[in-house]
Amino acid sequence: MTILTKSSFPFLLLIAAACVSFCHGNSNVLCIGSERDALLKLKNDLIDPSNRLSSWVEGGDCCEWNGVVCHNTTGHVTQLLLSTPDGWQGYDRSALGGKINPSLLELQHLNWLDLSNNNFSSIQIPGFLGLLGSLTHLNLSQARFQGAIPRNLGNLSELQYLDLRGNYFSEEVKSLQWVSGLSSLRYLDLSRIHLGKATDWLQVTISNLPSLLELHLSGCMLQDDTSPISTVNSNKSLVVLDLSWNRLSSVPMWIFDLHGLVSLDLSLNHLEGPIPDYFGNMSFLKVVDLGWNSLNSSVPNSLYSLNHLQFLGLTENNFQGEISNAIGNLSSLNHLDLSENQLQGKVPASLGDLCKLKEMDLSYNRIDQDISEILQSLSKCSLESLELLSMADNQLSGHLTHKLGQFKNLASLVLARNNISGPIPLSIGELSSLKVFDVSENQLNGTLSPNFGKLANLETLDIGQNQLEGVVSETHFSNLTKLSMLSASGNMLRFEPNSNWIPPFHCEIIQLSHWHLGPKFPHWLKFQKKLIALDLSHAGIADDVPTWFLNLSTQFQILNLSSNQLTGGIPYLKVGNMVDLSSNRFSGPLPRLLSNQFSNQLPVRFYSLSKNLFSGSLFEFVCNSSVPSIFVLHIDTNLLSGEIPDCWNRWKELGILNLGNNNLTGRIPSSLGGTRLRMLNLRNNSMFGELPSTLQNCMGLVILDLSENYFSGRIPAWIGDKLSILMVLSLRSNNFVGHIPHQICALQSLQILDLGHNDISGAIPKCLRNLTAMAIKEKQSEIYYNWISYKYNMNIHGILMSASLVLKGREDLYSTTLGLVTSIDLSANSFTGQIPKEVGTLIGLLSLNLSGNILTGNIPDIIGNMELMESLDLSMNRLHGGIPSSFTNLNFLNHFNVSYNNLTGQIPTATQLQSFDNSSFMGNHLCGPPVSKSCSTEGVPTDATKNGESSGRSKVNGFYVSTVVGFVMGFWGVVAPLFFIRSWRHAYYGKLEHIGNKVYVFWATKCI
């Protein structure tokens, strides 16, 4: 909080301590010998890794020792200030530990003891501390004490300040009765101590401590107290109350009897319902924080009547409606946070009456207003005071006007993700205090003003995902010496600085995706020594990656150079969290993957070398990498060869592995079963053998694509038994044989089943009706691989998973719509029997391909109930009967084929069926549009009714028809199996090659 500290009492005590220290520093009083000896005993039992107590030596003046304060006249030790310097920042290197010697009891005049921010994790709070009767100040916060709180601390009747927050007390606190003895207590902090079972906490802290000014019970797991309101009547002194981060479900009504309260913090609870309309009785309130709850309705007017209120925090609730015009009554307000609610409408003009307003955050609401109107209102009274304005993620429109430049003290302006259009005004250069400027994901256009170069205090510049265009020059960055984040991706900007330009800034983050930066690799990056995140994707760079850039990679956490025309080899990469070099022209062996400073802190989340020209083996890359873990690995569409190495157990966290479209051979290594795979893509390689049983250990698999290889054997039953959340299963174009195991039907999440172009036989299982994900119409459009994400400014939360699918006769890559697709493809196999009518219950199915099998019987009428169907292919089977009239319900069909069956009768009249050409129906005995044969009144082809014509013509026609049919059947009887059954085709051509070799040898020997 920048405008008012919620706790003023510790500050006053520190001033007092400083005064004592200052007075002592000008005295010549020596310490008492017995007290010096006591301190030396204390030191001997302490662990001091940074030698903080080096001044504590035998024979020295203990009043001069570090952390020791003596009385300026008597020389008695009155204060021990042994808190870790710099708080938690210096904890690891200088925290004290060990034991606390009872010699402390010899310091009978000790009134101030501070052991906070140390590491006493091996001991409890010593019980003898309760015997230090002179103590007025005891701070043991965040010192990692274990065990229980000694109850005899309640004997310290002189104690005014007690802070025990943030320790690791393992014994459950069931009562706070011991606190009642601290009758002089003015400050109490028991935050992050489990008090859920201490039912007397309210009675003790509020009623039994009449002098208490500040009470901090944050994170104590407190629940609603049902005590009568009268229990708090005795406390008239409480000024600060912090009950944040507990389990309160409603605002306690007893709070409204604390008329002297100045600061109230109920944030991070479970508060529900409307805010009680009783705040008008608490006229002294300066701080109210109710953020991160589930409060709803609207803000009561009584809250807007608090004219002393300086801080109002209502973030992350469910407040609705418009902001009341009464907010203008908060004349003392300097911090307003209404972010992440459901507020709508317009911002009231009365906000212009808040002349002391410094910070206003209305982001993540539904405010629909012209931004120029808001700036106009605020300019009425807040031109000199406003320092922060955040209205990101609303529905703001209009243009930024020159009025913006009049807010002279504005340090942070965040308007991201709105509908603001027009150019960025030239007056932006007048905001000399501006540190953060974020207008990303709007519709801003025009050129980028060179006045940005005047903003000497600018640290964050985010103009990404707009429609800015034109040339950016060195002038735009001339005075930006403090710039740490430059994010401007997704614009049509060109930047071609002088080759010897040295930027004045040292950024940590640079995002310039879709800028024109090429064709040469940007040389000015050489001077960015602090860079940890870089995105130059789609930047038109056609050059080798320079050696100096590879050395920079030691500091990278995020690197994206994808979709350029970068060439040459990359010998090594030192990476942190994310690397994307996909869609370039890199060649040679895969780079050796080395750890950098971030790899040890966080595993590599994402690594992509897809769509390049890398060649050679995977062994060195996988087995000799020093990177401890990878979550996502894409090396598809390269020229890799050899076998996949069997050393994946070193990357047990691997979630996505894509090695498709390479020249890999051999079997699937068994060690892949020791990973946490969610997606495995090995499609379009030359791999063979049966599927290893260890893959059944990858029970989190969502996508399994092994298509277009030479895998053989039966489809394992464990796919259905173990891979229970599988959504995509593609075994297309392999050599699998046998039946479909009935366990496949247990995959209730399965949306894509592609077993086409194998040698699978038997009947199509009726249990396919159990594939429930194909039987629902509502689906999620995207399938993500999510992790516990390290959220840096590039906002990486997960990876959108994708799969190549063969639908409607062509292969396409699906990513953003993958979750919407449902498909079954059993084509080009040897399935027999009838089409099970149970398939018709899969009403969410979009594509069904059963072509190229030996299916018989009628087409089930129930298929006409699959109204979402877009592609249906039943061609090249032995189906007979007619096309069901229910097919007229298939209004979304855009691919349909029933050719080369034994179907008869009239084609049902429907807009969709008549839109297909004759090739979809040929090879049958069908009539009616769109085929050329007309139907008789009985619905059969007219040529079958012409019995009165000459028998000679019939015999001649029959001869030709029989000849053609015989040729077609004979031709397809030989060719079709070779065309659709890969194993037959290989055997046939192998036999031909074998015969050819014999003929050649015979011919050659005869000639010799």
Side-chain angles (χ1 to χ4, degrees):
M1 185 185 307
T2 60
I3 52 86
L4 178 75
T5 176
K6 293 182 181 179
S7 177
S8 57
F9 188 65
F11 177 69
L12 297 176
L13 289 174
L14 286 174
I15 293 177
C19 290
V20 172
S21 300
F22 178 78
C23 295
H24 157 75
N26 290 293
S27 68
N28 296 316
V29 177
L30 297 177
C31 76
I32 309 300
S34 60
E35 295 185 356
R36 177 179 59 238
D37 294 340
L39 291 174
L40 288 174
K41 292 178 184 177
L42 176 66
K43 175 187 176 181
N44 288 336
D45 281 352
L46 293 175
I47 298 173
D48 182 13
S50 63
N51 211 20
R52 285 165 50 193
L53 306 182
S54 59
S55 59
W56 293 28
V57 294
E58 191 80 36
D61 181 6
C62 65
C63 293
E64 299 294 333
W65 290 355
N66 183 32
V68 179
V69 178
C70 297
H71 192 277
N72 60 346
T73 56
T74 66
H76 287 295
V77 175
T78 59
Q79 297 185 19
L80 274 183
L81 309 177
L82 299 181
S83 176
T84 299
D86 303 322
W88 285 108
Q89 294 177 345
Y91 179 84
D92 290 333
R93 61 179 181 272
S94 56
L96 297 175
K99 298 180 180 180
I100 300 174
N101 195 290
S103 63
L104 268 181
L105 294 176
E106 300 177 32
L107 306 178
Q108 297 181 8
H109 299 273
L110 188 69
N111 57 49
W112 195 303
L113 178 60
D114 187 349
L115 298 176
S116 61
N117 296 321
N118 283 297
N119 185 11
F120 295 107
S121 58
S122 61
I123 64 171
Q124 299 185 22
I125 295 177
F128 62 76
L129 293 184
L131 302 176
L132 296 172
S134 298
L135 274 185
T136 60
H137 185 289
L138 178 59
N139 189 351
L140 304 179
S141 63
Q142 300 184 133
R144 299 196 176 189
F145 285 109
Q146 307 285 323
I149 302 173
R151 287 184 171 85
N152 64 352
L153 290 183
N155 298 330
L156 302 174
S157 58
E158 300 296 321
L159 200 65
Q160 299 180 27
Y161 183 103
L162 177 60
D163 191 347
L164 301 180
R165 64 189 159 91
N167 282 286
Y168 296 161
F169 301 125
S170 56
E171 186 172 314
E172 200 171 64
V173 178
K174 296 182 179 179
S175 174
L176 288 180
Q177 195 58 44
W178 61 269
V179 176
S180 298
L182 306 176
S183 56
S184 301
L185 203 62
R186 308 186 72 187
Y187 180 99
L188 176 62
D189 194 339
L190 301 179
S191 296
R192 300 201 297 281
I193 298 175
H194 194 327
L195 302 179
K197 298 292 181 65
T199 57
D200 58 355
W201 71 269
L202 178 60
Q203 178 69 33
V204 170
T205 58
I206 301 298
S207 299
N208 297 354
L209 301 176
S211 301
L212 195 64
L213 296 176
E214 296 198 25
L215 176 60
H216 298 269
L217 298 177
S218 175
C220 295
M221 297 189 177
L222 300 176
Q223 302 185 32
D224 297 307
D225 192 282
T226 57
S227 302
I229 297 177
S230 59
T231 59
V232 301
N233 287 342
S234 61
N235 193 310
K236 304 295 183 182
S237 61
L238 200 64
V239 174
V240 175
L241 177 60
D242 180 3
L243 298 178
S244 62
W245 199 19
N246 281 291
R247 296 179 176 180
L248 304 176
S249 63
S250 61
V251 178
M253 295 306 295
W254 53 262
I255 286 176
F256 298 106
D257 284 339
L258 304 175
H259 300 307
L261 209 59
V262 173
S263 176
L264 173 63
D265 190 349
L266 293 175
S267 62
L268 291 162
N269 274 280
H270 302 161
L271 304 180
E272 298 177 343
I275 299 176
D277 198 9
Y278 298 110
F279 278 96
N281 299 327
M282 309 176 74
S283 57
F284 294 103
L285 273 175
K286 294 183 178 180
V287 174
V288 174
D289 193 346
L290 303 177
W292 293 282
N293 282 289
S294 300
L295 296 165
N296 55 31
S297 188
S298 58
V299 181
N301 283 334
S302 63
L303 200 54
Y304 290 140
S305 66
L306 303 175
N307 55 12
H308 290 99
L309 198 64
Q310 298 179 21
F311 180 103
L312 178 58
L314 301 177
T315 184
E316 279 205 48
N317 280 282
N318 296 315
F319 293 116
Q320 302 168 359
E322 298 188 356
I323 302 172
S324 171
N325 198 54
I327 199 171
N329 297 330
L330 301 177
S331 56
S332 300
L333 197 66
N334 52 38
H335 181 107
L336 174 63
D337 190 351
L338 300 177
S339 61
E340 299 196 51
N341 282 284
Q342 300 177 40
L343 300 171
Q344 54 192 13
K346 294 186 176 183
V347 173
S350 61
L351 275 179
D353 298 329
L354 305 181
C355 300
K356 297 181 180 179
L357 191 63
K358 290 185 177 181
E359 300 179 358
M360 183 173 79
D361 190 348
L362 303 181
S363 57
Y364 295 95
N365 279 288
R366 301 174 184 175
I367 297 172
D368 184 0
Q369 191 173 2
D370 193 311
I371 183 61
S372 62
E373 294 179 8
I374 297 173
L375 294 177
Q376 180 65 38
S377 296
L378 292 173
S379 67
K380 178 181 176 183
C381 197
S382 305
L383 282 178
E384 300 297 328
S385 62
L386 195 64
E387 297 176 1
L388 180 148
L389 175 60
S390 179
M391 297 192 69
D393 293 274
N394 277 283
Q395 299 168 23
L396 303 180
S397 57
H399 297 177
L400 294 172
T401 65
H402 70 282
K403 184 73 69 176
L404 183 62
Q406 298 179 13
F407 293 87
K408 301 300 182 183
N409 292 309
L410 191 64
S412 179
L413 178 63
V414 181
L415 301 174
R417 294 172 293 282
N418 281 287
N419 298 313
I420 303 171
S421 58
I424 299 174
L426 296 176
S427 62
I428 189 71
E430 299 172 19
L431 299 177
S432 57
S433 300
L434 197 63
K435 294 181 179 179
V436 177
F437 182 71
D438 185 355
V439 291
S440 58
E441 297 184 49
N442 278 282
Q443 299 175 28
L444 296 170
N445 52 36
T447 60
L448 193 64
S449 170
N451 288 351
F452 273 102
K454 300 178 181 179
L455 303 177
N457 289 305
L458 194 65
E459 298 173 1
T460 297
L461 174 59
D462 193 344
I463 55 174
Q465 310 305 323
N466 279 285
Q467 300 168 21
L468 300 170
E469 56 187 358
V471 177
V472 176
S473 68
E474 300 168 19
T475 307
H476 288 80
F477 306 107
S478 56
N479 292 310
L480 305 187
T481 56
K482 297 181 180 180
L483 193 66
S484 62
M485 175 180 174
L486 171 59
S487 180
S489 296
N491 288 287
M492 298 171 284
L493 295 167
R494 176 184 293 269
F495 184 42
E496 297 176 356
N498 192 297
S499 60
N500 58 5
W501 180 61
I502 299 178
F505 51 78
H506 296 281
C507 280
E508 295 181 3
I509 302 170
I510 295 179
Q511 297 172 324
L512 301 178
S513 175
H514 290 87
W515 280 41
H516 184 83
L517 302 174
K520 293 294 184 180
F521 199 91
H523 185 264
W524 54 271
L525 288 173
K526 183 177 183 179
F527 307 100
Q528 298 302 297
K529 303 300 183 182
K530 297 181 179 180
L531 200 59
I532 59 176
L534 177 65
D535 184 355
L536 300 184
S537 59
H538 300 272
I541 304 172
D543 197 2
D544 287 352
V545 175
T547 303
W548 58 259
F549 184 78
L550 295 178
N551 295 330
L552 275 183
S553 71
T554 58
Q555 64 199 41
F556 284 147
Q557 182 178 342
I558 297 173
L559 174 63
N560 188 352
L561 300 178
S562 64
S563 301
N564 284 287
Q565 299 180 47
L566 295 166
T567 55
I570 302 179
Y572 64 89
L573 266 180
K574 293 184 177 181
V575 297
N577 190 251
M578 169 186 170
V579 175
D580 191 349
L581 305 181
S582 62
S583 299
N584 280 287
R585 297 180 180 177
F586 292 119
S587 57
L590 292 170
R592 188 168 184 191
L593 201 54
L594 305 175
S595 298
N596 71 4
Q597 55 182 320
F598 294 105
S599 301
N600 297 323
Q601 300 171 15
L602 296 163
V604 178
R605 309 284 187 180
F606 180 94
Y607 192 81
S608 178
L609 298 175
S610 300
K611 299 177 182 177
N612 279 285
L613 301 173
F614 289 111
S615 58
S617 169
L618 277 166
F619 183 84
E620 185 73 18
F621 178 85
V622 178
C623 301
N624 291 332
S625 168
S626 63
V627 171
S629 183
I630 287 183
F631 282 15
V632 179
L633 181 59
H634 288 281
I635 321 182
D636 60 290
T637 319
N638 279 282
L639 303 174
L640 302 178
S641 57
E643 297 186 358
I644 300 177
D646 196 10
C647 53
W648 296 93
N649 48 2
R650 61 192 312 277
W651 285 342
K652 293 184 182 297
E653 300 297 322
L654 186 65
I656 292 181
L657 177 60
N658 187 353
L659 300 176
N661 300 313
N662 281 287
N663 299 316
L664 299 170
T665 60
R667 302 174 183 269
I668 297 177
S670 60
S671 59
L672 277 177
T675 63
R676 297 184 179 180
L677 281 174
R678 300 274 285 174
M679 182 184 98
L680 176 61
N681 185 347
L682 301 178
R683 68 178 292 116
N684 194 23
N685 280 284
S686 299
M687 303 183 68
F688 54 81
E690 297 186 356
L691 304 188
S693 60
T694 55
L695 277 185
Q696 66 184 302
N697 299 326
C698 300
M699 292 184 288
L701 266 173
V702 175
I703 297 178
L704 178 60
D705 188 349
L706 306 179
S707 59
E708 299 181 54
N709 281 283
Y710 298 99
F711 294 117
S712 57
R714 294 176 175 269
I715 298 175
W718 52 256
I719 291 180
D721 286 334
K722 301 295 184 179
L723 310 184
S724 59
I725 62 173
L726 201 64
M727 298 179 71
V728 177
L729 175 61
S730 181
L731 304 179
R732 182 183 186 85
S733 296
N734 280 284
N735 296 325
F736 289 107
V737 296
H739 299 176
I740 297 178
H742 66 86
Q743 289 88 347
I744 293 293
C745 300
L747 298 174
Q748 296 187 5
S749 299
L750 195 66
Q751 294 185 204
I752 310 292
L753 175 62
D754 191 347
L755 306 179
H757 293 261
N758 281 282
D759 194 16
I760 305 171
S761 57
I764 297 175
K766 295 180 179 180
C767 64
L768 289 180
R769 65 176 180 272
N770 296 328
L771 301 177
T772 53
M774 300 182 185
I776 57 176
K777 296 183 178 181
E778 299 293 331
K779 306 177 188 69
Q780 181 180 336
S781 63
E782 298 165 340
I783 303 175
Y784 281 96
Y785 165 62
N786 296 306
W787 53 64
I788 301 174
S789 70
Y790 172 69
K791 185 179 179 182
Y792 205 66
N793 292 61
M794 296 187 82
N795 296 325
I796 299 172
H797 300 285
I799 296 298
L800 184 64
M801 292 198 282
S802 61
S804 292
L805 307 177
V806 178
L807 301 175
K808 306 174 187 178
R810 67 174 188 272
E811 181 179 317
D812 293 299
L813 181 66
Y814 291 79
S815 56
T816 56
T817 59
L818 179 58
L820 296 175
V821 180
T822 47
S823 170
I824 293 179
D825 190 339
L826 305 180
S827 62
N829 279 284
S830 300
F831 289 108
T832 57
Q834 298 185 358
I835 299 174
K837 63 181 181 180
E838 287 78 6
V839 171
T841 64
L842 304 178
I843 59 174
L845 202 62
L846 301 184
S847 177
L848 176 62
N849 189 349
L850 303 179
S851 64
N853 283 286
I854 318 171
L855 298 173
T856 58
N858 295 327
I859 300 175
D861 186 70
I862 194 174
I863 290 180
N865 295 339
M866 306 167 75
E867 297 179 355
L868 298 182
M869 186 78 71
E870 298 178 7
S871 176
L872 177 61
D873 193 342
L874 306 177
S875 62
M876 289 184 284
N877 279 286
R878 299 178 183 178
L879 302 171
H880 55 76
I883 298 176
S885 59
S886 62
F887 276 27
T888 58
N889 298 326
L890 304 180
N891 296 320
F892 295 101
L893 274 182
N894 52 49
H895 179 83
F896 179 71
N897 195 346
V898 292
S899 61
Y900 299 107
N901 281 284
N902 296 318
L903 299 175
T904 60
Q906 183 175 1
I907 298 173
T909 302
T911 304
Q912 291 302 110
L913 293 181
Q914 272 66 48
S915 67
F916 300 105
D917 58 33
N918 187 55
S919 62
S920 295
F921 303 92
M922 65 189 304
N924 289 287
H925 304 287
L926 297 168
C927 61
V931 300
S932 57
K933 292 181 181 179
S934 300
C935 296
S936 68
T937 55
E938 288 79 16
V940 295
T942 53
D943 56 356
T945 66
K946 296 180 179 179
N947 297 325
E949 294 194 11
S950 66
S951 59
R953 181 188 300 179
S954 298
K955 291 179 180 178
V956 172
N957 291 341
F959 171 80
Y960 288 121
V961 170
S962 299
T963 302
V964 172
V965 171
F967 174 80
V968 169
M969 295 301 291
F971 178 82
W972 279 106
V974 175
V975 173
L978 296 179
F979 184 80
F980 291 104
I981 303 175
R982 182 186 293 188
S983 60
W984 289 21
R985 183 166 66 252
H986 289 177
Y988 177 75
Y989 287 115
K991 188 67 174 177
L992 287 181
E993 184 178 6
H994 180 67
I995 294 172
N997 290 337
K998 283 189 173 183
V999 171
Y1000 173 78
V1001 171
F1002 175 81
W1003 176 80
T1005 53
K1006 288 294 182 182
C1007 292
I1008 293 173

